[in-house]
Every structure is written in structure tokens, then in C-alpha cells.
Amino acid sequence: MEYYNLKDPRIRTGFRGAVEKGISSNMGLFMPARIPRPDEAFFSRLPGLALPEIAMEVGQLYVGNEIPVPAMRQICEEAFDFPVIIRQLDERSQVLELFHGPTAAFKDFGARFMAGCFRYFSTQDDRRTVVLVATSGDTGGAIASSFLGVDGVDVVILYPSGMVSRLQENQITTMGSNITAIEIEGTFDDCQAMVKGILSGAATGGRVKLTSANSINIARLIPQTFYYYYALARTGKGTVLSVPSGNFGNITAAAMAWKSGLGILHLVAATNINRVVPEYLDTGIFKPAPTVATIANAMDVGNPGNFDRLRRVFDDDYETISRSVAGCWFDDDRISKHMGEEYLRTGYILDPHGAVASLGLKEYLDSHPGTTGIFAATAHPAKFTGIVEPLIGREVEVPDSLVKFLSGTKRSVKMRPGTENLKQYLIDSYGC
Ligand SMILES: *Cc1c(COP(=O)(O)O)cnc(C)c1O
């Protein structure tokens, strides 16, 4: 499989090249040269396949022979060792729960598959790999948990001091081993600028290989297609799919799965008040805007990184994309009200992100009689107890995977913003 660069389509590389370059040389996004289509036999077997089996078959189409079948099997079985759960909420709607992984958010799918790929590639190389990540919260935990104990790979996570939740901070700072947390006395933008600063100026050929695990890495996008095959095989053809969207990776993956032959009727891109994509879908004009803080904070993105990829899946054609994807957005009041109402109506507890997707689906189904649909719930409500509990008037049970992060010893390196500071740290720690 060949991948090309969206900024400059003449830049072509294989799967490994696309994974390892990522954004590291400021090269922009990679896309597969074509969206691979599994054969008919795959689709007829699909309803009986478990997630790791789907991952192996679909994943192999994306990685080609750059990861041999036995290694791919191991990556998929280890990455997807937790359930995906579908629940029927009423006659017309179902929920796709993507939060049963180790950090209780759907980012586990992408992070764990990517970690498996990095580990495999590091066995093909004598040098250590140092993975740099800037996080505003959730990504850091998913990356830390996915890379913990992976041979040949060290992970350095930068996060803004005092700006992540206690649980999120514990997920980043209590693991130890090959995971180092750097607490930046600044903002998420400072963290991101430091990582970019290092990677764009990094001299390659040193003793270690520096790379990044940011959200637009293609190895995080591809595995997000797998659960849509799993879900749609179980909901039947002609289902509407609503996805809570921030950086628009998850819905791009859904669009890729759709294009590869999966029977989706329509996509709903649901978001919070950061509404640049719904506005684009309405008007054809894409205007990035400053980020606004909301209660669905993992979707607080004013300039979604995967937007160009989403458009590419629809051939960069506004007519096609606006016919296929409905955009909608909801402010905090609507989201809160819906969480309370849905709990009363069905007994189901939504987190703020799932609530956005649920609202998006509801809006679509209400205006399209006779349709049925499924929405993605991307985080466990226990990650947002402070918001959820007052709205439903009861406590939310914390899943076992999160309990251990309620305590633990925090270890972090404090650092002031500035690429030079990070550079010095990397020289002292890794000689690079
Ligand atoms: C990251 C995240 C999203 C947004 O996903 P994108 O792929 O960035 O659109 C939604 N919900 C939760 C809980 C997230 O962590």
C-alpha cells in the first residue's frame, strides 16, 4: 500500500514511512493512495468476526507486507483485548460503546494499535525510538498506557501544568518505567510548539530516533475503522452513524470504512460549540476559529487536524461530502439537558461527548422518519463525574481500569516553555 502526502502528493511512501514521518518533518497528513476494499467474502463473514479478526484482515490491507501476518496478528490481539459493546436504547437507536479500554476512552484503539506498530518497527532497527507527545489531557493517558513496557521505545509526554484533571494527570505521571511525564509551566499550545520545534529541527542519524505519536498519525486513524465494521455488521445495512467529533479523526475513519463498502446510510458529524465543520457543511466555507472551552472538552478544537483528510475521502468535492455527512452542533446547555433527559427516559448514562453524538443522531432521526441509527460513545461517564453526577442525581460507578488512577505517586519533570529546554533534557537523558 502506498501513502501520499496531502500537502504535496508527489511525496509518496509506504506504511512505515507514513507512520514514522507522521508530522515529524512538518510534512502534513498522509493518506492511503486508495481506500482498500475488503472482498465480498469478507463482508459475508463479517457478522461472525471478532474485533481482532476484523482488525487483522482490514489492517493487513493497509499495511501490506510491511508487517508480516504473524506480527500483525499479535499486534491486533494485544491491542484489542477489551470489548466493544452495542446497546439498544430504543426502537430506533443504539449506542456503540468505545470506552471499555484501559483508559476508558476510544483513543485506546488508535494508541494501542500505533504502539504495536512502533514496537514491531523498533525490532527492525538497532536504535531506540523516543516518542514525543503533547497532550491536553486524554491522549497522554492513552499513549502512556499503550506504550508502557514496550521494548526499544521511550515515551516523553508534555502536558500543561494545572490544566488537566487529576485522573488524567495520574494516568500520565504514575506509570514510570519507559514513560516520562514533563509538566510544562504553560499551555497546551506551548507543549505542542516544543514538540514541533524539536521534531522539525531534529538531526536524524543520531543514536536515537525521535518521532511523535500525535493525533494525526495514520497508525491511529486506521484502527478506528475496525470497530465500524464490527458495529455495522451487527446493526444491519442502512444505518445512520453519528460520531462526536473534535479533530475529526474518528469520523474520517467512519467515512473510510463506508467508502470501502460498509453499508452506512448517512454520517452525522456532531460537535460542540466549536462548529467550524458543521458550518462548512452548511455553507461550503471552512473558517478555522479560536477554540472555545466546553463540557465536552476533548472536542474543543477550532481548527480540526483531520478536516483535509475527511474532505479527501469525498474527493474534495463539496457536493459529495455535504450529501453524505450531516453536521450539527450543540452548546453546553443543550448537552447538559440531554444528559439528564436521556437518563430519565432510558436509564442510560451519557458522558458529555456521547451526549453530543446522541443529540446529533436524535436530530437526524427526528427529521428522517423510518430511519434507524447508532451513535458512538467515546468516553466512560466516570471520567466526567463532576459534570455527569449532578445532572442525573446519582453517583457513577468507576470502572476497575480507572480505579487505580484515583491514587498513585506522581512523578514528573517540571519545565518552562521553550524548545531549548526540551532539547537540553533530551540531550541529558538520551544523548540526542
Ligand atoms: C478525542 C475525543 C473525541 C474527538 O475525536 P476526534 O477523532 O478528534 O474527532 C471525542 N470524544 C472523546 C472522549 C475524545 O477523547
Side-chain angles (χ1 to χ4, degrees):
M1 173 62 80
E2 209 177 24
Y3 288 78
Y4 67 98
N5 191 273
L6 280 186
K7 246 192 219 160
D8 181 353
R10 287 169 306 179
I11 301 175
R12 295 198 160 231
T13 176
F15 174 71
R16 180 174 181 175
V19 169
E20 293 189 341
K21 286 192 184 82
I23 201 181
S24 46
S25 37
N26 266 342
M27 295 232 304
L29 305 164
F30 283 93
M31 272 301 261
R34 58 185 169 78
I35 310 250
R37 284 180 88 93
D39 56 24
E40 284 300 320
F42 169 82
F43 283 106
S44 47
R45 281 184 292 116
L46 186 54
L49 296 182
L51 186 70
E53 295 168 327
I54 295 171
M56 267 180 268
E57 293 200 35
V58 177
Q60 203 74 54
L61 300 175
Y62 280 97
V63 305
N65 57 12
E66 291 181 70
I67 300 180
V69 172
M72 188 66 179
R73 171 167 298 127
Q74 191 190 353
I75 291 171
C76 294
E77 282 174 354
E78 288 177 7
F80 310 118
D81 62 350
F82 54 89
V84 168
I85 295 176
I86 299 169
R87 297 182 204 278
Q88 188 84 39
L89 293 180
D90 60 35
E91 266 182 8
R92 294 176 68 193
S93 43
Q94 290 176 293
V95 54
L96 170 64
E97 293 183 350
L98 300 175
F99 52 69
H100 297 288
T103 71
F106 90 103
K107 293 206 167 57
D108 285 328
F109 289 93
R112 290 169 71 80
F113 181 80
M114 177 171 62
C117 294
F118 272 64
R119 183 188 53 207
Y120 174 75
F121 293 139
S122 84
T123 63
Q124 312 288 301
D125 197 321
D126 306 334
R127 294 180 298 166
R128 284 194 82 70
T129 302
V130 176
V131 180
L132 299 177
V133 200
T135 182
S136 57
D138 266 353
T139 302
I143 298 284
S145 132
S146 303
F147 280 92
L148 181 65
V150 170
D151 270 349
V153 182
D154 289 303
V155 178
V156 177
I157 303 176
L158 282 70
Y159 73 98
S161 180
M163 289 167 79
V164 302
S165 75
R166 176 75 199 282
L167 186 80
Q168 287 173 330
E169 184 166 41
N170 283 353
Q171 285 181 332
I172 301 168
T173 59
T174 59
M175 296 225 171
S177 177
N178 60 330
I179 313 292
T180 304
I182 302 192
E183 191 174 350
I184 302 298
E185 292 155 351
T187 63
F188 170 61
D189 289 337
D190 291 321
C191 300
Q192 207 160 25
M194 290 166 80
V195 170
K196 276 195 180 169
I198 292 288
L199 291 172
S200 57
T204 45
R207 269 183 294 157
V208 302
K209 193 164 63 183
L210 279 171
T211 183
S212 96
N214 60 48
S215 64
I216 56 173
N217 197 300
I218 192 77
R220 283 177 62 180
L221 192 70
I222 291 166
Q224 292 173 7
T225 65
F226 303 156
Y227 44 73
Y228 292 121
Y229 292 92
Y230 179 84
L232 272 289
R234 283 157 181 81
T235 58
K237 270 201 183 304
T239 303
V240 176
L241 172 62
S242 175
V243 181
S245 299
N247 228 0
F248 285 73
N250 204 3
I251 198 164
T252 300
M256 286 161 67
W258 185 5
K259 198 162 176 189
S260 83
L262 200 59
I264 296 172
L265 181 68
H266 211 87
L267 287 177
V268 179
T271 190
N272 56 30
I273 198 165
N274 296 284
R275 55 182 183 266
V276 297
V277 174
E279 277 181 351
Y280 163 79
L281 290 168
D282 271 352
T283 63
I285 299 163
F286 182 67
K287 217 169 76 192
T291 301
V292 181
T294 76
I295 58 171
N297 62 5
M299 295 163 22
D300 294 350
V301 182
N303 186 8
N306 282 297
F307 176 68
D308 286 342
R309 275 192 178 130
L310 181 63
R311 280 186 9 136
R312 192 78 276 277
V313 177
F314 295 99
D315 305 320
D316 290 322
D317 180 46
Y318 175 68
E319 285 303 314
T320 313
I321 191 171
S322 59
R323 224 183 311 119
S324 315
V325 186
C328 53
W329 61 274
F330 307 96
D331 63 21
D332 281 0
D333 285 347
R334 276 293 291 289
I335 301 169
S336 306
K337 193 157 163 264
H338 185 67
M339 289 161 71
E341 285 174 355
E342 280 301 281
Y343 179 64
L344 282 181
R345 187 177 75 88
T346 64
Y348 191 71
I349 305 176
L350 291 159
D351 97 293
H353 306 81
V356 167
S358 166
L359 272 167
L361 180 64
K362 183 176 181 323
E363 207 162 78
Y364 188 93
L365 297 183
D366 284 349
S367 57
H368 296 80
T371 50
T372 58
I374 186 164
F375 70 89
T378 44
H380 194 290
K383 295 192 89 168
F384 300 91
T385 48
I387 295 164
V388 176
E389 289 177 350
L391 293 171
I392 62 168
R394 57 163 269 201
E395 275 187 22
V396 179
E397 208 176 306
V398 179
D400 290 345
S401 60
L402 293 183
V403 169
K404 63 175 180 290
F405 293 113
L406 296 176
S407 57
T409 311
K410 167 177 161 179
R411 268 161 303 188
S412 70
V413 177
K414 286 225 170 163
M415 193 178 285
R416 298 192 52 77
T419 303
E420 280 309 309
N421 298 329
L422 181 57
K423 190 170 183 183
Q424 194 58 51
Y425 175 82
L426 294 171
I427 291 170
D428 295 345
S429 310
Y430 304 104
C432 58

